[in-house]
Amino acid sequence: MLHARGPLLTVDVGERTASRIDVDDVLERFVGGRAVATALAHDRIPFDADPFGPENRVYLSTGPLQQSQMSFTGRMNMTGLSPLTDGLVSTNAGGFLSREFVGAGISTFELVGKSDEPLLVHVTDDGVEFEEVPELSDALVPEVSDYVAETRDLGSENCIAIGPAGENLVRFAAVMTADSRAFGRGGLGAVLGAKNVKGITFTGDSEPTVEIPDPPESEIHREAATADDIRKRQGTTASTEIRNELYSLPTRYFSEYSFEDAEGIAGDAIEAKKYKRGTCSACAFACKLPLRDEETGFETEGPEFETTFSYGSNQGVGDLVEVMKANELCDTLGMDTVSAGVTVAAYMESEGEFGNAELAQELTEKIAYREGIGDLLAEGVARCHGELGVENWTVKGLEFPAHDGRVLHGQGLSYAVANRGADHMYSVILKQEYNGDIEREGTLGKADTLVEMEDYAAFRDTGIVCEFSDGYVNEDHLKQLFGADYEELLSIGAETVVRERHFNNQRGFDRDDDRIPYELPDLDAAIGEYYDARGWNDDGTVPDGAVEPIAASVD
């Protein structure tokens, strides 16, 4: 089976040591990306670890497709113990980092320990250098990129960085790359902040050899380049108005299902401000959204759909320029726009301030620096909702995205059982419900479909291919690319989901945590069907002996 190649590079920033470890057996079994990182994290992060402690580990990993010239492969995976959910999370980002990463001659990067001083870590194919950078304390993300450019002649595409939010341990701080691309959900930026790591650079010319089958490599790339797809012009915002009219666009902290000013923050409004193409490495699809407001000259990349929800409809803000400003603040300060926006909306609910975009931006800055009320809000909705006197719109501590499980009941079930919590990317069963492939209403009888889609999503993040590859990369393509039956690929995804669940079980997670803050028909029975489909215990735990350690193969 096709898999990533290259050693695991372990960097201990407390001891200032680096070692390369052969992980061929792990790569052959788990391919790369999320599956490899999850397998390593399961065995190498102590089950009782403090997310902010030196014993927590953060993994960056690529799949074999990051050495292709195929569209939809400009992404990377990041995995670690989340300070927001207190469980294992994986998140991935687009951009250009993946090709620079493999150039350093590695497949996987592991960060452990805690530095006494603010630190940049520089990884090349020749070794690892530790640079103390006290002058970068509280630096914005682009300022880190500027520093790296001036001192190392490297671009933002070579770098991951955190902003003030990460340094101040905001529980939903993001890790940024290329300044505007986020490893967003789960707060791993705060984990880097706890380790006193301001950024990491990767460069080199020693990428391992991975033979990518062609066909279908060039066929997929050609289709991506030539397709007339609205997402090339409007990104994820293309269907905003349809969702608002026919399904739901959560509004004013989830109190309403549609937003009267949706048109102003939807796809056509976005496209009108797009002034150039934006893409990720090797991708001809070019779906990114560099926007400029001609009246003010303000520029940002984005916002995508989830941000037009979190800083738009859910805050009662219908002015796209104001949402653009909030988007840029989150990028430069280093925060997940979904969790940040929903947390700000919770405060607006408590104060009756919906529609106040200026307040939203002020709060966003206060959160990043933990100033005033920002110190409370930096803890996230699950930890601050009681003091605010509002509902807890999270699952397992992770704030909800836009796709509404109250009208897409299979997606609601997905949110309940997902190991990451309220993350629509964990299964994307919402697609089946939007498309009418399965009924939107009802939870019973959807468990098998949900399991398959979770397994596919886990393998998608392992390969690694972008979610926008749907419609361009099919089952036959995956079989050709990886040299394996589709069921075998899904089994890698399934094992990844099981390892995540088992890790979280060891930290005390069980059926009581598989809950959402609203009622759905037969939800408890549907959760039971899901456990049965997974072969798990009735209490939501993985049976004893179902997960075997792999650590011996990397010690």
Side-chain angles (χ1 to χ4, degrees):
M1 186 187 299
L2 187 75
H3 59 81
R5 295 182 182 274
L8 164 69
L9 174 62
T10 296
V11 171
D12 187 322
V13 293
E15 298 295 328
R16 304 288 175 93
T17 60
S19 59
R20 295 188 178 221
I21 306 168
D22 187 327
V23 287
D24 286 350
D25 290 348
V26 180
L27 294 169
E28 289 172 7
R29 179 175 172 184
F30 293 102
V31 175
R34 176 176 157 194
V36 165
T38 299
L40 292 170
H42 179 277
D43 287 11
R44 293 167 70 87
I45 299 175
F47 292 139
D48 62 352
D50 178 349
F52 290 142
E55 69 275 19
N56 193 7
R57 296 170 186 249
V58 174
Y59 294 86
L60 272 170
S61 51
T62 58
L65 297 184
Q66 279 54 68
Q67 290 180 245
S68 74
Q69 293 303 310
M70 190 179 88
S71 291
F72 309 112
T73 63
R75 304 196 71 84
M76 281 194 68
N77 173 79
M78 182 175 285
T79 296
L81 176 58
S82 166
L84 188 63
T85 71
D86 202 44
L88 206 60
V89 298
S90 290
T91 177
N92 71 51
F96 306 91
L97 179 67
S98 60
R99 270 60 180 183
E100 306 298 336
F101 182 91
V102 297
I106 57 177
S107 66
T108 313
F109 176 85
E110 178 185 62
L111 186 70
V112 67
K114 178 179 180 178
S115 173
D116 292 332
E117 296 291 336
L119 199 67
L120 287 177
V121 179
H122 302 290
V123 178
T124 73
D125 44 2
D126 290 328
V128 175
E129 179 183 344
F130 302 93
E131 180 186 4
E132 294 184 1
V133 284
E135 64 271 36
L136 290 182
S137 292
D138 276 341
L140 301 175
V141 169
E143 292 172 340
V144 180
S145 298
D146 290 344
Y147 178 88
V148 167
E150 292 167 5
T151 61
R152 298 277 165 168
D153 196 28
L154 297 175
S156 61
E157 68 272 15
N158 295 87
C159 187
I160 62 170
I162 62 169
E167 292 181 65
N168 292 311
L169 307 188
V170 174
R171 288 186 185 271
F172 42 82
V175 177
M176 305 300 295
T177 180
D179 289 345
S180 60
R181 313 297 174 85
F183 296 94
R185 310 239 59 195
L188 294 183
V191 178
L192 263 65
K195 295 184 180 302
N196 227 351
V197 173
K198 187 65 177 176
I200 308 170
T201 66
F202 298 90
T203 190
D205 297 304
S206 299
E207 58 272 8
T209 301
V210 177
E211 297 292 335
I212 308 296
D214 191 17
E217 179 185 22
S218 58
E219 172 190 336
I220 292 167
H221 192 69
R222 182 170 56 253
E223 287 295 317
T226 59
D228 181 16
D229 192 316
I230 193 172
R231 295 176 297 178
K232 290 184 174 183
R233 308 193 307 275
Q234 299 183 0
T236 55
T237 68
S239 56
T240 301
E241 290 187 82
I242 293 174
R243 288 168 182 158
N244 186 59
E245 293 168 9
L246 301 181
Y247 304 100
S248 172
L249 181 61
T251 297
R252 297 180 182 88
Y253 197 60
F254 305 97
S255 64
E256 302 169 45
Y257 288 78
S258 63
F259 186 41
E260 67 277 9
D261 294 326
E263 183 179 357
I265 56 174
D268 288 345
I270 292 282
E271 186 177 357
K273 294 188 183 300
K274 186 174 179 178
Y275 68 96
K276 65 179 180 179
R277 295 175 78 235
T279 192
C280 299
S281 59
C283 190
F285 196 71
C287 69
K288 304 312 292 181
L289 300 171
L291 302 189
R292 176 193 294 139
D293 178 57
E294 294 298 341
E295 183 176 343
T296 62
F298 187 82
E299 295 181 3
T300 188
E301 184 176 89
E304 296 287 351
F305 172 63
E306 290 296 341
T307 310
T308 63
F309 143 75
S310 64
Y311 275 96
S313 65
N314 212 34
Q315 295 181 3
V317 174
D319 185 332
L320 179 56
V321 176
E322 297 300 333
V323 180
M324 289 167 59
K325 291 177 181 177
N327 180 77
E328 184 69 10
L329 271 176
C330 285
D331 286 351
T332 58
L333 295 168
M335 283 190 287
D336 170 29
T337 61
V338 179
S339 287
V342 170
T343 304
V344 169
Y347 180 83
M348 293 171 127
E349 163 80 357
S350 73
E351 299 295 317
E353 287 283 358
F354 287 124
N356 190 339
E358 183 177 349
L359 174 63
Q361 293 159 37
E362 178 185 326
L363 290 170
T364 299
E365 290 200 69
K366 286 182 178 294
I367 289 169
Y369 294 100
R370 284 188 174 266
E371 294 177 350
I373 189 64
D375 188 40
L376 174 66
L377 300 181
E379 294 295 296
V381 168
R383 292 172 174 85
C384 76
H385 75 95
E387 189 165 337
L388 295 179
V390 301
E391 289 188 54
N392 180 12
W393 277 93
T394 72
V395 179
K396 301 178 179 74
L398 188 67
E399 288 76 12
F400 273 89
H403 302 278
D404 198 340
R406 294 172 296 180
V407 299
L408 305 170
H409 292 175
Q411 186 59 44
L413 171 62
S414 175
Y415 290 142
V417 299
N419 293 323
R420 282 202 297 260
D423 185 346
H424 64 291
M425 296 298 289
Y426 199 80
S427 76
V428 203
I429 195 173
L430 58 92
K431 285 188 174 182
Q432 301 271 8
E433 296 182 311
Y434 280 137
N435 294 339
D437 295 333
I438 59 176
E439 291 291 330
R440 288 190 290 121
E441 295 186 355
T443 58
L444 291 176
K446 294 183 177 180
D448 288 340
T449 299
L450 176 56
V451 165
E452 181 176 351
M453 297 199 74
E454 282 185 342
D455 295 348
Y456 169 75
F459 186 77
R460 173 199 68 206
D461 297 341
T462 292
I464 302 170
V465 290
C466 175
E467 172 60 23
F468 266 19
S469 66
D470 183 40
Y472 297 89
V473 179
N474 58 37
E475 291 183 18
D476 287 338
H477 290 145
L478 291 173
K479 289 190 288 187
Q480 287 177 283
L481 286 167
F482 290 94
D485 291 338
Y486 186 64
E487 290 72 21
E488 188 176 355
L489 304 182
L490 290 183
S491 71
I492 295 170
E495 188 165 358
T496 302
V497 172
V498 170
R499 286 178 181 274
E500 292 170 344
R501 172 66 62 146
H502 184 262
F503 184 95
N504 289 355
N505 289 157
Q506 307 314 302
R507 293 182 65 80
F509 286 73
D510 59 21
R511 188 175 189 131
D512 289 341
D513 298 288
D514 289 343
R515 290 291 178 263
I516 51 179
Y518 47 85
E519 297 293 327
L520 288 180
D522 304 305
L523 179 61
D524 198 58
I527 290 172
E529 288 184 340
Y530 173 81
Y531 295 161
D532 288 344
R534 283 281 179 210
W536 295 346
N537 299 321
D538 290 341
D539 63 354
T541 61
V542 175
D544 292 342
V547 175
E548 296 180 358
I550 55 95
S553 60
V554 296
D555 285 342

